[in-house]
Amino acid sequence: MALLNSKTKAVLLGPLNKNNPVIVQVLGICSALAVTSKLEPSVVMTIAVVVVAGFGNVVISMLRNTIPNRIRIIVQLVVVAALVTIVSEVLKAYLYDVNKQLSVFVGLIVTNCILMGRLEAFALGNGPWPSFLDGVGNGLGYGWILIVVGFFRELLGSGTLFDIPVIPQALYDIGYENNGLMILPPMAMIVIAGIIWVHRYRDKELQEETN
Amino acid sequence: MDAISLIVRSIFVDNMIFAYYLGMCSYLAVSKNVKTAVGLGFAVTFVLMLTVPLNYMLENYVLKAGALEWLGESFKDIDLSVFSLLIFIAIIASTVQVVEMVIERFSPGLYTSLGIFLPLIAVNCAILGGSLFMQQRAFPNIGIATAYGFGSGIGWLLAIVGLAAIRERLQYSNVPKPLKGLGITFIIVALMGVAFMSFSGIDI
C-alpha cells in the first residue's frame, strides 16, 4: 500500500487551503493571535501544535472503539492534556526563553479548538494513519497562518526576522521608522483579516452572503 | 480594596478578549445577536467564578511545590505542578457539566438558545486561561482569586455583547465581498481592541 494515495493526500493538504482551520473554519484563533508578535514563537508554536494534533489524533483513533460515547470529551481532553504536558516540559527544558514568551499559551493548546474539532470530526471515525495525516495537515494549516502573521508583524514592527535585523540602516537614515503598532495584539487581527481577504478574493466559493 | 481594583483591572485593562485574545472561537461564533451573547457571557462569568477559586485551592493545597505539607513532614518535598494542566481541565470539564445540568433544570429557554455552546465552554480558552493566569500571578488568597475570575468573566461579557451589537448593525452596511462575514468581524474586533488599549497603563 502506498503511503499516500489520493484520498490521504486530500486529507493532508486540504487543511492548508480550502479547509484551513484558522481562516475558513475559525478554530484556534486565540493562540494564533497572541503568540505571533515575533517569528520565533510562531514557529515553535506551530511545531508544538503539529506534534500534539498528529499524535492526539493517532491515540484517539486507536482508542476509538473502546471509548464509551458519553465520556468521550473528557477522554479526549485527558489525552490532549497529557500530550501538551509533555510538549511543555520539553520546551521548558530545551527552549526556555521561547517558553517564557509563550507563557500560558503552551498550556492553552489543550483548549485549542482545532484539536478537539479534529478528534471529534475525524479521529473518532478513521484509522490511525489517515488520522495522523489529518492532524499534521491541520497543524500545518494552522501553522502557515501563524508564520505569515509572525513574519509581517516582526518585519514591520521591529524590522527584524528571527531577531536578526533585516531592514538596512540606510533606510532608517532617510527617515524610515518601525511601526510600533504592529507589535500590539490588535494588529494580528488586521493581518489575519488581510489574509482572509486575499484568500477569499481568489476563491469565490468561500465568500459569505451576509455580514 | 485590592479586590475591587483587581476587578476593574481585569475588566478593562487586562480584558480577556482584547488583551490576551482568549475565548476567541466562541466569541466569534456566538456574537451574531445580542441575546445569545448575553446568555453565553453570563455562563462564562459563572463558570470562571467557580473554576478559578476551585483551581486556586487545588493549586495551593495539592499541586504547588511543598503544598502537601499539611499532610505531614514527609510530604514536604513533593511537587505535583506537572499535573496542573490535567487537573485544571478535569475540574473545568466537570464544572461545566454541573452548570449545564443546573441551567437545563432552571432555565430551559436559555439552555436551548445556548445549544451546543454550553458544553463548548469546557474548551473555551478563556476559562482555562483564567486558571493558568491565576497560577502564574500567585494571588495571595482565595477571595482575590474569585474576584479575578469574576472580573475576567464580566470583561468577556462586555466584549461579546459589544461585538454582537455592532454586528447586528452591520447587517445593513455594504462590505466588500471577500471581507463579508468573517473578515470584517476580525477588523471590528481589532478596532475594538485598539479602543480598549487606551485603558492600558492605567494604575488603579
Short mmCIF file of all heavy atoms in Angstrom, two decimals, chain A residues 23 26 28-30 33 77-78 81 84-85 103-105 107-108 110-111 113 116 184-186 189-190 192-193 196-197 200-201 207-211, chain B residues 20-25 28 82 85-86 89 93 123 125 128-129 132-133 136 170 173 175 177-183 186-187 189-190 193-194 197:
data_model
loop_
_atom_site.label_atom_id
_atom_site.label_comp_id
_atom_site.label_asym_id
_atom_site.label_seq_id
_atom_site.Cartn_x
_atom_site.Cartn_y
_atom_site.Cartn_z
N ILE A 23 -8.59 30.32 8.92
CA ILE A 23 -9.30 31.35 8.17
C ILE A 23 -10.57 30.86 7.52
O ILE A 23 -11.33 31.65 7.00
CB ILE A 23 -8.38 32.00 7.10
CG1 ILE A 23 -7.85 30.95 6.13
CG2 ILE A 23 -7.23 32.73 7.76
CD1 ILE A 23 -7.00 31.54 5.05
N VAL A 26 -12.53 28.97 11.34
CA VAL A 26 -12.44 29.84 12.52
C VAL A 26 -12.20 29.05 13.79
O VAL A 26 -12.93 29.18 14.77
CB VAL A 26 -13.71 30.70 12.72
CG1 VAL A 26 -13.32 32.00 13.40
CG2 VAL A 26 -14.41 30.94 11.45
N GLY A 28 -9.20 27.81 16.72
CA GLY A 28 -7.84 28.03 17.22
C GLY A 28 -7.33 29.44 17.04
O GLY A 28 -6.14 29.67 16.88
N ILE A 29 -8.25 30.41 17.07
CA ILE A 29 -7.85 31.79 16.85
C ILE A 29 -7.01 32.32 18.02
O ILE A 29 -6.04 33.04 17.82
CB ILE A 29 -9.08 32.70 16.70
CG1 ILE A 29 -10.00 32.16 15.64
CG2 ILE A 29 -8.66 34.11 16.38
CD1 ILE A 29 -9.56 32.43 14.27
N CYS A 30 -7.40 31.93 19.23
CA CYS A 30 -6.81 32.55 20.43
C CYS A 30 -5.30 32.58 20.34
O CYS A 30 -4.68 33.64 20.39
CB CYS A 30 -7.17 31.78 21.69
SG CYS A 30 -8.80 31.13 21.71
N LEU A 33 -3.40 34.55 17.60
CA LEU A 33 -3.24 35.98 17.74
C LEU A 33 -2.18 36.34 18.75
O LEU A 33 -1.43 37.29 18.58
CB LEU A 33 -4.56 36.60 18.18
CG LEU A 33 -5.65 36.37 17.16
CD1 LEU A 33 -6.98 36.74 17.76
CD2 LEU A 33 -5.38 37.20 15.95
N LEU A 77 -9.95 15.23 26.25
CA LEU A 77 -9.24 16.29 26.97
C LEU A 77 -8.04 15.72 27.71
O LEU A 77 -6.97 16.33 27.73
CB LEU A 77 -10.18 16.98 27.96
CG LEU A 77 -11.07 18.06 27.37
CD1 LEU A 77 -12.03 18.59 28.43
CD2 LEU A 77 -10.24 19.20 26.83
N VAL A 78 -8.23 14.56 28.32
CA VAL A 78 -7.12 13.98 29.08
C VAL A 78 -5.96 13.61 28.16
O VAL A 78 -4.80 13.89 28.46
CB VAL A 78 -7.60 12.76 29.89
CG1 VAL A 78 -6.41 12.02 30.47
CG2 VAL A 78 -8.52 13.20 31.00
N ALA A 81 -4.36 16.82 27.06
CA ALA A 81 -3.65 17.48 28.16
C ALA A 81 -2.35 16.75 28.47
O ALA A 81 -1.32 17.38 28.74
CB ALA A 81 -4.53 17.54 29.40
N VAL A 84 0.13 17.70 25.77
CA VAL A 84 0.58 19.08 25.93
C VAL A 84 1.54 19.20 27.10
O VAL A 84 2.53 19.94 27.03
CB VAL A 84 -0.62 20.03 26.10
CG1 VAL A 84 -0.15 21.42 26.48
CG2 VAL A 84 -1.41 20.09 24.83
N THR A 85 1.27 18.44 28.17
CA THR A 85 2.18 18.48 29.31
C THR A 85 3.57 18.03 28.88
O THR A 85 4.58 18.65 29.24
CB THR A 85 1.66 17.55 30.42
OG1 THR A 85 0.31 17.91 30.71
CG2 THR A 85 2.49 17.71 31.68
N SER A 103 4.40 31.90 27.42
CA SER A 103 3.72 31.88 28.73
C SER A 103 2.57 30.88 28.78
O SER A 103 2.78 29.70 28.55
CB SER A 103 3.30 33.29 29.15
OG SER A 103 2.13 33.71 28.49
N VAL A 104 1.37 31.32 29.03
CA VAL A 104 0.29 30.34 29.24
C VAL A 104 -0.17 29.70 27.94
O VAL A 104 -0.97 28.77 27.97
CB VAL A 104 -0.92 30.97 29.92
CG1 VAL A 104 -0.55 31.48 31.29
CG2 VAL A 104 -1.52 32.07 29.10
N PHE A 105 0.33 30.18 26.80
CA PHE A 105 -0.28 29.70 25.57
C PHE A 105 0.12 28.29 25.20
O PHE A 105 -0.57 27.64 24.41
CB PHE A 105 0.00 30.68 24.43
CG PHE A 105 -0.79 31.93 24.61
CD1 PHE A 105 -0.24 33.04 25.18
CD2 PHE A 105 -2.14 31.94 24.30
CE1 PHE A 105 -0.99 34.17 25.41
CE2 PHE A 105 -2.90 33.06 24.53
CZ PHE A 105 -2.32 34.18 25.08
N GLY A 107 0.15 25.90 27.49
CA GLY A 107 -0.91 25.18 28.20
C GLY A 107 -2.23 25.29 27.49
O GLY A 107 -3.04 24.36 27.49
N LEU A 108 -2.44 26.43 26.84
CA LEU A 108 -3.74 26.65 26.20
C LEU A 108 -3.90 25.85 24.92
O LEU A 108 -4.97 25.86 24.34
CB LEU A 108 -3.94 28.12 25.93
CG LEU A 108 -4.29 28.92 27.18
CD1 LEU A 108 -4.34 30.39 26.88
CD2 LEU A 108 -5.63 28.48 27.74
N VAL A 110 -4.23 22.91 24.98
CA VAL A 110 -5.27 21.96 25.41
C VAL A 110 -6.63 22.37 24.91
O VAL A 110 -7.42 21.56 24.43
CB VAL A 110 -5.31 21.85 26.94
CG1 VAL A 110 -6.42 20.92 27.37
CG2 VAL A 110 -3.99 21.38 27.48
N THR A 111 -6.92 23.67 25.04
CA THR A 111 -8.26 24.11 24.66
C THR A 111 -8.28 24.67 23.25
O THR A 111 -9.23 25.34 22.86
CB THR A 111 -8.77 25.17 25.63
OG1 THR A 111 -7.77 26.18 25.74
CG2 THR A 111 -9.06 24.58 26.97
N CYS A 113 -9.30 24.81 19.85
CA CYS A 113 -10.46 24.12 19.29
C CYS A 113 -10.10 23.24 18.12
O CYS A 113 -10.81 22.30 17.81
CB CYS A 113 -11.52 25.10 18.83
SG CYS A 113 -11.40 26.71 19.53
N MET A 116 -9.69 19.60 19.47
CA MET A 116 -10.95 18.96 19.82
C MET A 116 -11.78 18.72 18.56
O MET A 116 -12.39 17.67 18.39
CB MET A 116 -11.75 19.82 20.79
CG MET A 116 -11.10 19.97 22.13
SD MET A 116 -10.87 18.39 22.92
CE MET A 116 -12.55 18.03 23.38
N LEU A 184 1.55 45.32 18.70
CA LEU A 184 0.40 45.20 19.59
C LEU A 184 -0.59 44.16 19.08
O LEU A 184 -0.75 43.99 17.87
CB LEU A 184 -0.29 46.56 19.72
CG LEU A 184 0.67 47.62 20.26
CD1 LEU A 184 0.05 49.00 20.16
CD2 LEU A 184 1.03 47.32 21.71
N PRO A 185 -1.24 43.45 20.00
CA PRO A 185 -2.10 42.33 19.59
C PRO A 185 -3.19 42.67 18.57
O PRO A 185 -3.43 41.84 17.69
CB PRO A 185 -2.70 41.83 20.91
CG PRO A 185 -2.18 42.70 21.99
CD PRO A 185 -1.09 43.54 21.46
N PRO A 186 -3.86 43.82 18.61
CA PRO A 186 -4.94 44.01 17.64
C PRO A 186 -4.48 43.90 16.19
O PRO A 186 -5.25 43.51 15.32
CB PRO A 186 -5.45 45.43 17.92
CG PRO A 186 -5.07 45.69 19.31
CD PRO A 186 -3.79 44.96 19.55
N MET A 189 -5.09 40.70 14.35
CA MET A 189 -6.42 40.52 13.75
C MET A 189 -6.45 41.15 12.36
O MET A 189 -7.03 40.59 11.43
CB MET A 189 -7.50 41.20 14.60
CG MET A 189 -7.54 40.84 16.03
SD MET A 189 -8.38 39.37 16.49
CE MET A 189 -9.89 39.26 15.72
N ILE A 190 -5.85 42.35 12.24
CA ILE A 190 -5.87 43.04 10.95
C ILE A 190 -5.11 42.22 9.91
O ILE A 190 -5.58 42.04 8.78
CB ILE A 190 -5.24 44.44 11.07
CG1 ILE A 190 -6.01 45.29 12.09
CG2 ILE A 190 -5.16 45.11 9.72
CD1 ILE A 190 -7.13 46.08 11.55
N ILE A 192 -4.61 38.99 9.89
CA ILE A 192 -5.41 37.81 9.52
C ILE A 192 -6.57 38.22 8.62
O ILE A 192 -6.88 37.53 7.64
CB ILE A 192 -5.92 37.08 10.77
CG1 ILE A 192 -4.73 36.48 11.52
CG2 ILE A 192 -6.87 35.96 10.38
CD1 ILE A 192 -5.12 35.62 12.67
N ALA A 193 -7.19 39.36 8.93
CA ALA A 193 -8.28 39.84 8.07
C ALA A 193 -7.75 40.03 6.65
O ALA A 193 -8.44 39.71 5.68
CB ALA A 193 -8.87 41.13 8.62
N ILE A 196 -7.48 36.68 5.04
CA ILE A 196 -8.81 36.22 4.66
C ILE A 196 -9.26 36.91 3.38
O ILE A 196 -9.82 36.29 2.47
CB ILE A 196 -9.82 36.50 5.80
CG1 ILE A 196 -9.51 35.62 7.00
CG2 ILE A 196 -11.24 36.27 5.32
CD1 ILE A 196 -10.37 35.94 8.19
N TRP A 197 -9.00 38.21 3.33
CA TRP A 197 -9.42 38.98 2.16
C TRP A 197 -8.81 38.41 0.88
O TRP A 197 -9.51 38.09 -0.08
CB TRP A 197 -9.01 40.44 2.36
CG TRP A 197 -9.69 41.40 1.44
CD1 TRP A 197 -10.39 41.09 0.32
CD2 TRP A 197 -9.75 42.82 1.58
NE1 TRP A 197 -10.87 42.23 -0.26
CE2 TRP A 197 -10.50 43.31 0.49
CE3 TRP A 197 -9.23 43.74 2.50
CZ2 TRP A 197 -10.74 44.67 0.30
CZ3 TRP A 197 -9.48 45.09 2.31
CH2 TRP A 197 -10.22 45.54 1.23
N ARG A 200 -10.11 34.80 0.10
CA ARG A 200 -11.48 34.72 -0.41
C ARG A 200 -11.65 35.44 -1.73
O ARG A 200 -12.60 35.18 -2.46
CB ARG A 200 -12.45 35.30 0.63
CG ARG A 200 -12.43 34.44 1.85
CD ARG A 200 -13.62 34.61 2.72
NE ARG A 200 -13.49 33.63 3.80
CZ ARG A 200 -14.29 33.53 4.80
NH1 ARG A 200 -15.31 34.36 4.91
NH2 ARG A 200 -14.11 32.61 5.72
N TYR A 201 -10.74 36.37 -2.00
CA TYR A 201 -10.80 37.03 -3.29
C TYR A 201 -10.43 36.03 -4.38
O TYR A 201 -11.03 35.99 -5.45
CB TYR A 201 -9.84 38.22 -3.31
CG TYR A 201 -9.79 38.93 -4.63
CD1 TYR A 201 -10.84 39.78 -5.01
CD2 TYR A 201 -8.73 38.76 -5.51
CE1 TYR A 201 -10.82 40.42 -6.22
CE2 TYR A 201 -8.69 39.39 -6.72
CZ TYR A 201 -9.75 40.22 -7.08
OH TYR A 201 -9.72 40.85 -8.30
N GLN A 207 -16.76 32.89 -0.17
CA GLN A 207 -17.34 34.17 0.25
C GLN A 207 -18.69 33.96 0.91
O GLN A 207 -19.49 33.13 0.49
CB GLN A 207 -17.48 35.09 -0.97
CG GLN A 207 -16.12 35.52 -1.48
CD GLN A 207 -16.23 36.36 -2.74
OE1 GLN A 207 -17.31 36.72 -3.15
NE2 GLN A 207 -15.08 36.64 -3.33
N GLU A 208 -18.95 34.78 1.94
CA GLU A 208 -20.22 34.65 2.66
C GLU A 208 -21.23 35.64 2.10
O GLU A 208 -20.88 36.67 1.55
CB GLU A 208 -20.00 34.90 4.15
CG GLU A 208 -19.19 33.78 4.79
CD GLU A 208 -18.76 34.15 6.22
OE1 GLU A 208 -19.64 34.47 7.01
OE2 GLU A 208 -17.57 34.13 6.48
N GLU A 209 -22.52 35.30 2.30
CA GLU A 209 -23.58 36.15 1.77
C GLU A 209 -23.89 37.32 2.70
O GLU A 209 -24.10 38.44 2.31
CB GLU A 209 -24.85 35.33 1.53
CG GLU A 209 -24.78 34.48 0.28
CD GLU A 209 -24.43 35.30 -0.95
OE1 GLU A 209 -25.07 36.34 -1.17
OE2 GLU A 209 -23.51 34.88 -1.70
N THR A 210 -23.94 37.00 4.00
CA THR A 210 -24.33 38.03 4.97
C THR A 210 -23.13 38.47 5.79
O THR A 210 -22.12 37.79 5.82
CB THR A 210 -25.42 37.50 5.92
OG1 THR A 210 -24.89 36.33 6.53
CG2 THR A 210 -26.68 37.22 5.21
N ASN A 211 -23.30 39.58 6.47
CA ASN A 211 -22.20 40.04 7.30
C ASN A 211 -22.14 39.26 8.60
O ASN A 211 -23.13 38.99 9.19
CB ASN A 211 -22.38 41.51 7.64
CG ASN A 211 -21.93 42.35 6.47
OD1 ASN A 211 -20.96 42.01 5.82
ND2 ASN A 211 -22.67 43.38 6.18
N TYR B 20 -5.62 39.52 25.77
CA TYR B 20 -5.00 38.21 25.61
C TYR B 20 -5.60 37.35 24.49
O TYR B 20 -5.12 36.28 24.21
CB TYR B 20 -5.08 37.42 26.93
CG TYR B 20 -4.40 38.13 28.06
CD1 TYR B 20 -5.13 38.70 29.09
CD2 TYR B 20 -3.03 38.24 28.07
CE1 TYR B 20 -4.50 39.38 30.11
CE2 TYR B 20 -2.40 38.91 29.09
CZ TYR B 20 -3.13 39.47 30.10
OH TYR B 20 -2.51 40.15 31.09
N TYR B 21 -6.70 37.80 23.92
CA TYR B 21 -7.35 37.01 22.87
C TYR B 21 -7.70 35.61 23.32
O TYR B 21 -7.39 34.64 22.65
CB TYR B 21 -6.48 36.97 21.61
CG TYR B 21 -6.41 38.33 21.02
CD1 TYR B 21 -5.30 39.13 21.18
CD2 TYR B 21 -7.51 38.84 20.37
CE1 TYR B 21 -5.28 40.41 20.70
CE2 TYR B 21 -7.50 40.12 19.89
CZ TYR B 21 -6.38 40.90 20.06
OH TYR B 21 -6.36 42.16 19.59
N LEU B 22 -8.32 35.50 24.46
CA LEU B 22 -8.73 34.18 24.93
C LEU B 22 -10.22 34.00 24.71
O LEU B 22 -11.00 34.93 24.88
CB LEU B 22 -8.39 34.03 26.40
CG LEU B 22 -6.90 34.01 26.69
CD1 LEU B 22 -6.64 33.89 28.16
CD2 LEU B 22 -6.25 32.88 25.94
N GLY B 23 -10.59 32.79 24.36
CA GLY B 23 -12.01 32.51 24.15
C GLY B 23 -12.51 33.06 22.83
O GLY B 23 -13.68 33.38 22.68
N MET B 24 -11.60 33.15 21.85
CA MET B 24 -11.95 33.75 20.57
C MET B 24 -12.95 32.93 19.77
O MET B 24 -13.81 33.48 19.10
CB MET B 24 -10.70 33.91 19.72
CG MET B 24 -10.05 35.24 19.87
SD MET B 24 -11.16 36.47 19.28
CE MET B 24 -10.50 37.91 20.01
N CYS B 25 -12.81 31.60 19.83
CA CYS B 25 -13.63 30.77 18.94
C CYS B 25 -15.11 31.01 19.19
O CYS B 25 -15.86 31.38 18.31
CB CYS B 25 -13.30 29.30 19.12
SG CYS B 25 -11.55 28.99 19.04
N LEU B 28 -16.26 34.67 18.40
CA LEU B 28 -16.61 35.00 17.03
C LEU B 28 -17.86 34.27 16.57
O LEU B 28 -18.65 34.78 15.79
CB LEU B 28 -15.44 34.66 16.09
CG LEU B 28 -14.20 35.52 16.28
CD1 LEU B 28 -13.05 34.99 15.47
CD2 LEU B 28 -14.48 36.95 15.90
N VAL B 82 3.51 19.47 37.64
CA VAL B 82 3.47 18.93 36.27
C VAL B 82 2.04 18.57 35.88
O VAL B 82 1.65 18.68 34.73
CB VAL B 82 4.33 17.66 36.18
CG1 VAL B 82 4.52 17.26 34.74
CG2 VAL B 82 5.66 17.87 36.86
N LEU B 85 -2.06 21.11 34.48
CA LEU B 85 -2.93 21.21 33.31
C LEU B 85 -4.03 20.17 33.34
O LEU B 85 -5.21 20.48 33.14
CB LEU B 85 -2.10 20.98 32.05
CG LEU B 85 -1.64 22.18 31.26
CD1 LEU B 85 -0.87 21.71 30.07
CD2 LEU B 85 -2.84 22.97 30.82
N LEU B 86 -3.62 18.93 33.61
CA LEU B 86 -4.59 17.83 33.63
C LEU B 86 -5.68 18.07 34.66
O LEU B 86 -6.87 17.94 34.38
CB LEU B 86 -3.86 16.52 33.96
CG LEU B 86 -3.33 15.73 32.79
CD1 LEU B 86 -2.44 14.62 33.27
CD2 LEU B 86 -4.49 15.17 32.01
N ILE B 89 -8.03 21.10 33.77
CA ILE B 89 -9.00 20.86 32.70
C ILE B 89 -10.07 19.87 33.17
O ILE B 89 -11.24 19.99 32.80
CB ILE B 89 -8.31 20.41 31.41
CG1 ILE B 89 -9.21 20.58 30.20
CG2 ILE B 89 -7.86 18.98 31.46
CD1 ILE B 89 -9.39 21.99 29.78
N ALA B 93 -13.96 20.77 33.08
CA ALA B 93 -14.93 19.96 32.34
C ALA B 93 -16.07 19.52 33.25
O ALA B 93 -17.24 19.57 32.87
CB ALA B 93 -14.24 18.74 31.73
N VAL B 123 -14.05 23.85 26.55
CA VAL B 123 -12.84 24.07 25.77
C VAL B 123 -12.68 25.54 25.40
O VAL B 123 -11.94 25.87 24.49
CB VAL B 123 -12.79 23.20 24.50
CG1 VAL B 123 -12.47 21.78 24.87
CG2 VAL B 123 -14.05 23.30 23.72
N CYS B 125 -10.99 28.82 25.72
CA CYS B 125 -9.67 29.13 26.28
C CYS B 125 -9.76 30.13 27.42
O CYS B 125 -8.89 30.15 28.29
CB CYS B 125 -8.73 29.68 25.23
SG CYS B 125 -9.19 29.39 23.56
N LEU B 128 -9.83 28.14 30.85
CA LEU B 128 -8.53 27.57 31.25
C LEU B 128 -7.50 28.67 31.42
O LEU B 128 -6.68 28.64 32.34
CB LEU B 128 -8.06 26.55 30.21
CG LEU B 128 -6.76 25.82 30.55
CD1 LEU B 128 -6.91 25.04 31.82
CD2 LEU B 128 -6.34 24.91 29.41
N GLY B 129 -7.60 29.70 30.55
CA GLY B 129 -6.68 30.83 30.66
C GLY B 129 -6.80 31.49 32.02
O GLY B 129 -5.79 31.83 32.64
N LEU B 132 -4.91 29.43 34.44
CA LEU B 132 -3.46 29.46 34.23
C LEU B 132 -2.86 30.81 34.65
O LEU B 132 -1.79 30.87 35.24
CB LEU B 132 -3.12 29.17 32.77
CG LEU B 132 -3.36 27.74 32.32
CD1 LEU B 132 -3.10 27.58 30.84
CD2 LEU B 132 -2.49 26.77 33.09
N PHE B 133 -3.59 31.90 34.38
CA PHE B 133 -3.12 33.20 34.83
C PHE B 133 -3.13 33.27 36.35
O PHE B 133 -2.24 33.87 36.96
CB PHE B 133 -3.97 34.32 34.24
CG PHE B 133 -3.58 34.71 32.85
CD1 PHE B 133 -4.51 34.70 31.82
CD2 PHE B 133 -2.28 35.08 32.58
CE1 PHE B 133 -4.14 35.05 30.54
CE2 PHE B 133 -1.90 35.43 31.29
CZ PHE B 133 -2.85 35.41 30.27
N GLN B 136 -0.08 31.67 37.42
CA GLN B 136 1.10 32.46 37.11
C GLN B 136 1.25 33.65 38.06
O GLN B 136 2.35 33.99 38.47
CB GLN B 136 0.97 32.96 35.68
CG GLN B 136 2.27 33.23 35.00
CD GLN B 136 2.05 33.71 33.58
OE1 GLN B 136 1.17 34.54 33.32
NE2 GLN B 136 2.82 33.21 32.66
N LEU B 170 -24.38 45.88 11.53
CA LEU B 170 -23.59 45.71 10.32
C LEU B 170 -24.39 45.06 9.19
O LEU B 170 -23.99 45.14 8.03
CB LEU B 170 -22.39 44.83 10.66
CG LEU B 170 -21.16 45.04 9.83
CD1 LEU B 170 -20.60 46.41 10.11
CD2 LEU B 170 -20.12 44.00 10.20
N SER B 173 -24.84 47.26 6.22
CA SER B 173 -23.80 48.02 5.53
C SER B 173 -23.23 47.22 4.37
O SER B 173 -23.34 46.00 4.31
CB SER B 173 -22.70 48.42 6.50
OG SER B 173 -22.60 47.49 7.53
N VAL B 175 -20.32 45.78 2.61
CA VAL B 175 -18.93 45.39 2.84
C VAL B 175 -18.40 44.75 1.56
O VAL B 175 -19.15 44.06 0.87
CB VAL B 175 -18.89 44.37 4.00
CG1 VAL B 175 -17.48 43.92 4.26
CG2 VAL B 175 -19.50 44.97 5.24
N LYS B 177 -17.06 42.15 -0.96
CA LYS B 177 -17.48 40.75 -0.95
C LYS B 177 -16.53 39.80 -0.23
O LYS B 177 -16.97 39.02 0.62
CB LYS B 177 -17.74 40.25 -2.37
CG LYS B 177 -19.17 40.41 -2.77
CD LYS B 177 -19.59 39.26 -3.66
CE LYS B 177 -21.08 39.10 -3.59
NZ LYS B 177 -21.73 39.14 -4.88
N PRO B 178 -15.22 39.83 -0.54
CA PRO B 178 -14.34 38.85 0.12
C PRO B 178 -14.21 39.09 1.61
O PRO B 178 -13.80 38.20 2.35
CB PRO B 178 -12.98 39.06 -0.57
CG PRO B 178 -13.28 39.82 -1.80
CD PRO B 178 -14.50 40.62 -1.52
N LEU B 179 -14.56 40.28 2.08
CA LEU B 179 -14.43 40.58 3.50
C LEU B 179 -15.70 40.26 4.28
O LEU B 179 -15.72 40.32 5.48
CB LEU B 179 -14.11 42.06 3.70
CG LEU B 179 -12.64 42.44 3.76
CD1 LEU B 179 -12.50 43.91 4.02
CD2 LEU B 179 -11.94 41.67 4.86
N LYS B 180 -16.78 39.97 3.55
CA LYS B 180 -18.07 39.74 4.22
C LYS B 180 -17.96 38.66 5.28
O LYS B 180 -17.26 37.67 5.11
CB LYS B 180 -19.12 39.34 3.19
CG LYS B 180 -19.87 40.53 2.70
CD LYS B 180 -21.10 40.15 1.93
CE LYS B 180 -21.73 41.46 1.53
NZ LYS B 180 -23.05 41.53 1.25
N GLY B 181 -18.72 38.82 6.36
CA GLY B 181 -18.75 37.81 7.39
C GLY B 181 -17.49 37.85 8.25
O GLY B 181 -17.27 38.76 9.03
N LEU B 182 -16.65 36.83 8.06
CA LEU B 182 -15.51 36.66 8.96
C LEU B 182 -14.51 37.81 8.89
O LEU B 182 -14.09 38.35 9.92
CB LEU B 182 -14.82 35.35 8.59
CG LEU B 182 -13.77 34.87 9.57
CD1 LEU B 182 -14.38 34.72 10.93
CD2 LEU B 182 -13.19 33.56 9.09
N GLY B 183 -14.17 38.23 7.68
CA GLY B 183 -13.13 39.24 7.52
C GLY B 183 -13.44 40.52 8.25
O GLY B 183 -12.64 41.04 9.03
N PHE B 186 -13.23 40.30 12.02
CA PHE B 186 -11.86 40.42 12.53
C PHE B 186 -11.44 41.87 12.64
O PHE B 186 -10.85 42.30 13.64
CB PHE B 186 -10.89 39.68 11.59
CG PHE B 186 -10.66 38.26 11.95
CD1 PHE B 186 -11.59 37.31 11.65
CD2 PHE B 186 -9.50 37.89 12.60
CE1 PHE B 186 -11.38 35.99 11.98
CE2 PHE B 186 -9.28 36.57 12.94
CZ PHE B 186 -10.23 35.62 12.64
N ILE B 187 -11.75 42.65 11.61
CA ILE B 187 -11.32 44.05 11.62
C ILE B 187 -12.03 44.80 12.75
O ILE B 187 -11.40 45.60 13.46
CB ILE B 187 -11.58 44.68 10.24
CG1 ILE B 187 -10.65 44.02 9.23
CG2 ILE B 187 -11.34 46.18 10.29
CD1 ILE B 187 -10.78 44.53 7.84
N VAL B 189 -13.11 43.56 15.56
CA VAL B 189 -12.51 43.16 16.84
C VAL B 189 -11.19 43.89 17.03
O VAL B 189 -10.87 44.37 18.12
CB VAL B 189 -12.33 41.64 16.92
CG1 VAL B 189 -11.63 41.25 18.21
CG2 VAL B 189 -13.66 40.94 16.83
N ALA B 190 -10.41 44.01 15.94
CA ALA B 190 -9.13 44.71 16.06
C ALA B 190 -9.35 46.15 16.47
O ALA B 190 -8.65 46.67 17.36
CB ALA B 190 -8.39 44.65 14.73
N GLY B 193 -10.23 46.36 19.96
CA GLY B 193 -9.03 46.12 20.76
C GLY B 193 -8.19 47.37 20.89
O GLY B 193 -7.69 47.69 21.97
N VAL B 194 -8.06 48.11 19.77
CA VAL B 194 -7.30 49.36 19.83
C VAL B 194 -7.96 50.32 20.81
O VAL B 194 -7.29 50.98 21.62
CB VAL B 194 -7.20 49.99 18.43
CG1 VAL B 194 -6.55 51.36 18.51
CG2 VAL B 194 -6.40 49.10 17.51
N MET B 197 -7.22 49.42 24.25
CA MET B 197 -5.83 49.63 24.66
C MET B 197 -5.62 50.97 25.31
O MET B 197 -4.62 51.18 26.01
CB MET B 197 -4.92 49.51 23.45
CG MET B 197 -4.38 48.11 23.28
SD MET B 197 -3.64 47.92 21.69
CE MET B 197 -2.80 49.45 21.58
#
